[in-house]
């Protein structure tokens, strides 16, 4: 095979992989959004067949020969192709480690686990969910052993979600956050809480839906390429390439801010994905490079921009067009209410200050289950104990406790630390961005273009061309520094609570 032929085949292979991913992604998305309740088994059947075909395509002899030819060409390849061959080779080598029948069973298990989790959460029925979660953890651990027998299984999965991360790095990072956040939170708790009545009232779903569209346009999403649906747990997914992005939200009629910040959060993910350079579509370099960098974008939009005083000044009068009860309040009332720092039960509704504590609970539990130090059956009890210890709250039922998140039923063990890393990356991005962009002035006039352009140039357009650490370092011109996040929180909450 000549190099020219190999490059043509590489292009065709990536397009085929994208097509399978597109179909599988759409099946999963349908299951999570509009599909009727009784259709999970039907989707599991099709998912099984397509996953097996995809597995055979990627692990077959033709692909092996192609990759070998390209790997041997090494230095003759441009940087983009080298990185493509590296990432494709890595994922295929990992796949080959997993026996095909186990890989297919895993895909089916995920469909089943998601279905059971929905019912279990609805009924707050932990015993219904526990056996399937046991199988998820068992499989995750077994797969790590197949792919990297020399590695600790939890380290393996942490590194899968954020290249370069392991328990030692996470322990150090969370210790730094704990040391910065806990004393700050203690000082905040000695102060009176802001009046939050601005957030209370009745907010019809129909008005919230129209407001969601307005927010999506405002932050710069192209609605011809980004769709919105409703689900129990908000998420973002790309279908086939960055040209078709779907985000979801959840509406509460007594609380418009919940969906508002979900839409901005998921919108941040979608901005990142859809910001990939055009030529990366249908390649393995398309879309976000890691979950940590992904969360740095979503949490940047949701919190650093979305919950800023400058953006509140702009968005509050806009929100009052949709929700007339807001007219009795000021933008400053809204700003203070949406930044009320108070330990609570639900991660996705946590404020910026306590959020990382929710992540620390999940990190501590995952780490112990993966190490075999904690049985899945013991999770609710330990969850409740750690919520009391870290956040000082009593968990009344498993629905608002251990059953609240979809990550474990989705097989995403090792994902949670990405949220906290993302928050910390975001604060450092802000510090750097402020050297050249007047962020507050942009937000006060509702103009996201200069902010989006800065991120597009430094983060989005590169897709997976660099490792997360390289990408981040190039973006901020210095190594990762969690101190930027502590400084950001300290400044914000000192002002808010007059500490
Ligand atoms: Zn997210």
């Amino acid at each position: 095979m000549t190099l020219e032929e190999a490059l043509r085949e590489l292009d065709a292979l990536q397009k085929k992989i994208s097509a399978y991913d597109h179909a599988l992604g759409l099946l999963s998305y349908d299951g999570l959004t509009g599909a009727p309740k009784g259709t999970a088994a039907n989707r599991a059947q099709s998912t099984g067949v397509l996953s097996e075909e995809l597995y055979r395509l990627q692990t077959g002899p033709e692909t092996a020969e192609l990759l070998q030819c390209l790997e041997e060409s090494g230095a003759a390849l441009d940087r983009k192709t080298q990185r493509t061959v590296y990432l494709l080779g890595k994922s295929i080598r990992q796949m080959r480690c997993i026996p095909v029948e186990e890989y297919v069973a895993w895909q089916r298990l995920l469909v089943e686990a998601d279905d059971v989790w929905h019912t279990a959460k609805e009924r707050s029925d932990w015993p219904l969910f526990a056996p399937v979660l046991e199988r998820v953890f068992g499989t995750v651990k077994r797969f790590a052993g197949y792919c990297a027998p020399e590695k600790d299984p939890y380290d393996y999965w942490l590194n899968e979600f954020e290249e370069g991360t392991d328990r030692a790095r996470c322990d150090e990072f969370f210790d730094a956050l704990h040391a910065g956040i806990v004393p700050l939170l203690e000082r905040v708790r000695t102060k009176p809480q802001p009046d939050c009545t601005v957030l209370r009232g009745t907010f019809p779903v129909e008005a919230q839906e129209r407001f969601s569209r307005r927010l999506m346009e405002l932050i710069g999403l192209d609605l011809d390429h980004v769709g919105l649906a409703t689900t129990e747990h908000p998420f973002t997914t790309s279908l086939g390439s960055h040209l078709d992005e779907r985000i979801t939200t959840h509406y509460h009629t007594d609380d418009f801010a919940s969906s508002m910040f979900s839409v901005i959060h998921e919108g941040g993910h979608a901005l990142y994905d859809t910001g990939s350079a055009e030529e990366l579509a249908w390649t393995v370099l398309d879309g976000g490079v890691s979950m940590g960098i992904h969360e740095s974008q979503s949490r940047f939009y949701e919190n650093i921009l979305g919950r800023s005083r400058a953006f509140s000044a702009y968005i509050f009068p806009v929100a009052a067009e949709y929700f007339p009860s807001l007219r009795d309040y000021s933008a400053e009332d809204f700003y203070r209410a949406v930044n009320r720092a108070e330990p609570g039960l639900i991660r996705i509704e946590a404020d910026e200050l306590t959020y990382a504590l929710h992540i620390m609970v999940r990190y501590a539990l995952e780490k112990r289950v993966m190490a075999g130090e904690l049985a899945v059956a013991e999770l609710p009890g330990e969850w409740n104990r750690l919520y009391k210890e870290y956040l000082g709250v009593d968990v009344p039922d498993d629905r608002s406790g251990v059953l609240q998140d979809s990550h474990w039923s989705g097989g995403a063990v090792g994902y949670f630390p990405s949220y906290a890393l993302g928050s910390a990356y975001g604060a450092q991005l802000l510090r750097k961005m402020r050297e050249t962009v007047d962020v507050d002035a942009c937000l006060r006039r509702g103009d996201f273009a200069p902010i989006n352009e800065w991120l597009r140039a430094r983060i989005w357009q590169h897709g997976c061309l660099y490792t997360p650490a390289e990408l981040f370092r190039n973006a901020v011109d210095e190594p990762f520094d969690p101190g930027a996040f502590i400084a950001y929180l300290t400044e914000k909450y000192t002002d808010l609570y007059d500490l």
Side-chain angles (χ1 to χ4, degrees):
M1 193 185 315
T2 66
L3 181 56
E4 207 177 306
E5 284 164 349
L7 291 174
R8 261 203 309 275
E9 272 191 37
L10 177 65
D11 184 52
L13 172 67
Q14 292 187 89
K15 287 202 168 83
K16 271 190 206 166
I17 293 172
S18 296
Y20 278 109
D21 282 341
H22 193 167
L24 286 163
L26 199 49
L27 281 170
S28 156
Y29 177 79
D30 184 46
L32 294 168
T33 53
K37 249 186 156 53
T39 57
N42 188 47
R43 266 190 316 285
Q45 167 64 25
S46 300
T47 297
V49 170
L50 287 171
S51 303
E52 188 171 342
E53 287 298 312
L54 177 58
Y55 178 90
R56 292 195 193 287
L57 171 70
Q58 288 177 281
T59 57
E62 283 177 24
T63 301
E65 193 193 331
L66 171 64
L67 278 175
Q68 193 190 348
C69 168
L70 289 164
E71 278 165 358
E72 280 164 6
S73 305
L77 306 175
D78 60 24
R79 186 192 153 78
K80 195 178 135 196
T81 312
Q82 280 181 19
R83 179 81 175 150
T84 302
V85 170
Y86 168 75
L87 288 175
L88 202 55
K90 182 175 163 239
S91 88
I92 288 172
R93 265 189 288 277
Q94 283 174 341
M95 220 177 251
R96 279 208 202 103
C97 301
I98 299 167
V100 64
E101 54 299 342
E102 289 196 41
Y103 176 75
V104 174
W106 171 238
Q107 299 301 322
R108 287 175 188 261
L109 174 59
L110 292 182
V111 175
E112 184 193 337
D114 179 70
D115 191 45
V116 174
W117 169 72
H118 272 93
T119 312
K121 182 175 175 183
E122 214 175 280
R123 301 183 193 157
S124 197
D125 186 349
W126 166 257
L128 179 69
F129 185 53
V132 76
L133 184 61
E134 189 114 35
R135 282 157 63 207
V136 168
F137 268 107
T139 310
V140 161
K141 224 191 263 192
R142 205 167 61 248
F143 282 9
Y146 291 154
C147 296
E150 75 291 353
K151 236 183 174 164
D152 172 87
Y154 192 46
D155 279 347
Y156 172 80
W157 285 109
L158 287 171
N159 185 66
E160 283 300 293
F161 288 109
E162 192 68 7
E163 207 175 336
T165 302
D166 56 19
R167 285 166 305 161
R169 195 185 154 199
C170 280
D171 286 344
E172 192 185 331
F173 169 63
F174 285 124
D175 285 350
L177 290 197
H178 196 269
I181 290 172
V182 170
L184 188 57
L185 183 60
E186 272 166 19
R187 285 162 65 210
V188 163
R189 293 185 85 177
T190 64
K191 296 286 183 171
Q193 285 290 9
D195 179 357
C196 290
T197 49
V198 57
L199 302 177
R200 302 206 185 102
T202 303
F203 308 99
V205 167
E206 182 271 336
Q208 292 197 56
E209 281 170 348
R210 286 189 291 116
F211 185 50
S212 297
R213 304 271 161 200
R214 178 84 172 257
L215 287 168
M216 288 169 73
E217 280 172 338
L218 178 68
I219 65 171
L221 289 168
D222 175 356
L223 298 195
D224 287 341
H225 291 273
V226 184
L228 173 70
T230 53
T231 48
E232 176 64 33
H233 188 96
F235 69 89
T236 302
T237 188
S238 298
L239 298 176
S241 78
H242 72 268
L243 300 169
D244 185 352
E245 196 76 11
R246 309 296 174 96
I247 70 171
T248 74
T249 188
H250 187 94
Y251 296 113
H252 302 267
T253 51
D254 60 349
D255 177 6
F256 78 98
S258 170
S259 168
M260 171 182 168
F261 289 105
S262 286
V263 167
I264 300 176
H265 177 99
E266 303 305 333
H269 283 302
L271 282 167
Y272 180 22
D273 280 335
T274 56
S276 272
E278 206 59 35
E279 72 268 17
L280 299 184
W282 312 297
T283 75
V284 297
L285 301 181
D286 195 36
V289 66
S290 71
M291 290 332 302
I293 301 289
H294 241 300
E295 290 301 331
S296 80
Q297 302 304 291
S298 54
R299 297 189 61 73
F300 188 81
Y301 280 81
E302 177 194 350
N303 294 321
I304 292 179
L305 304 180
R307 286 190 163 88
S308 65
R309 182 176 268 128
F311 184 62
S312 299
Y314 175 82
I315 199 64
F316 188 71
V318 174
E321 292 170 24
Y322 297 83
F323 313 117
S325 66
L326 302 185
R327 289 179 195 149
D328 299 335
Y329 300 90
S330 70
E332 183 67 16
D333 294 333
F334 176 72
Y335 170 65
R336 289 180 177 276
V338 298
N339 285 293
R340 178 186 168 110
E342 189 170 44
L345 292 166
I346 308 295
R347 176 184 64 82
I348 62 164
E349 291 177 3
D351 55 83
E352 274 179 284
L353 186 56
T354 58
Y355 186 87
L357 300 172
H358 291 258
I359 299 303
M360 286 177 213
V361 170
R362 289 153 177 78
Y363 170 68
L365 295 175
E366 282 186 347
K367 194 167 76 163
R368 288 166 59 199
V369 172
M370 291 297 281
E373 294 163 10
L374 184 71
V376 166
E378 295 171 299
L379 276 171
E382 278 302 283
W383 179 287
N384 299 352
R385 189 183 68 75
L386 287 179
Y387 259 78
K388 187 75 180 171
E389 186 185 322
Y390 288 22
L391 288 124
V393 295
D394 292 304
V395 181
D397 53 37
D398 292 331
R399 185 211 311 259
S400 39
V402 69
L403 288 172
Q404 69 181 263
D405 293 314
S406 64
H407 300 66
W408 289 341
S409 59
V413 175
Y415 185 118
F416 283 119
S418 313
Y419 291 114
L421 281 168
S423 302
Y425 290 154
Q428 208 174 339
L429 286 170
L430 176 71
R431 189 167 76 183
K432 186 67 189 174
M433 187 186 286
R434 279 194 162 142
E435 291 176 11
T436 49
V437 178
D438 188 341
V439 176
D440 286 344
C442 291
L443 294 174
R444 270 195 299 273
R445 56 175 195 270
D447 177 12
F448 280 74
I451 296 166
N452 292 354
E453 282 321 305
W454 194 94
L455 289 167
R456 184 189 309 280
R458 288 176 182 249
I459 305 272
W460 305 345
Q461 65 166 335
H462 302 296
C464 305
L465 207 46
Y466 302 98
T467 67
E470 283 168 350
L471 179 73
F472 187 74
R473 202 193 164 95
N474 292 344
V476 297
D477 302 322
E478 61 182 4
F480 174 47
D481 166 23
F485 183 46
I486 302 296
Y488 161 82
L489 290 175
T490 304
E491 189 189 329
K492 180 167 183 174
Y493 287 94
T494 299
D495 168 72
L496 269 165
Y497 280 86
D498 198 19
L499 299 178

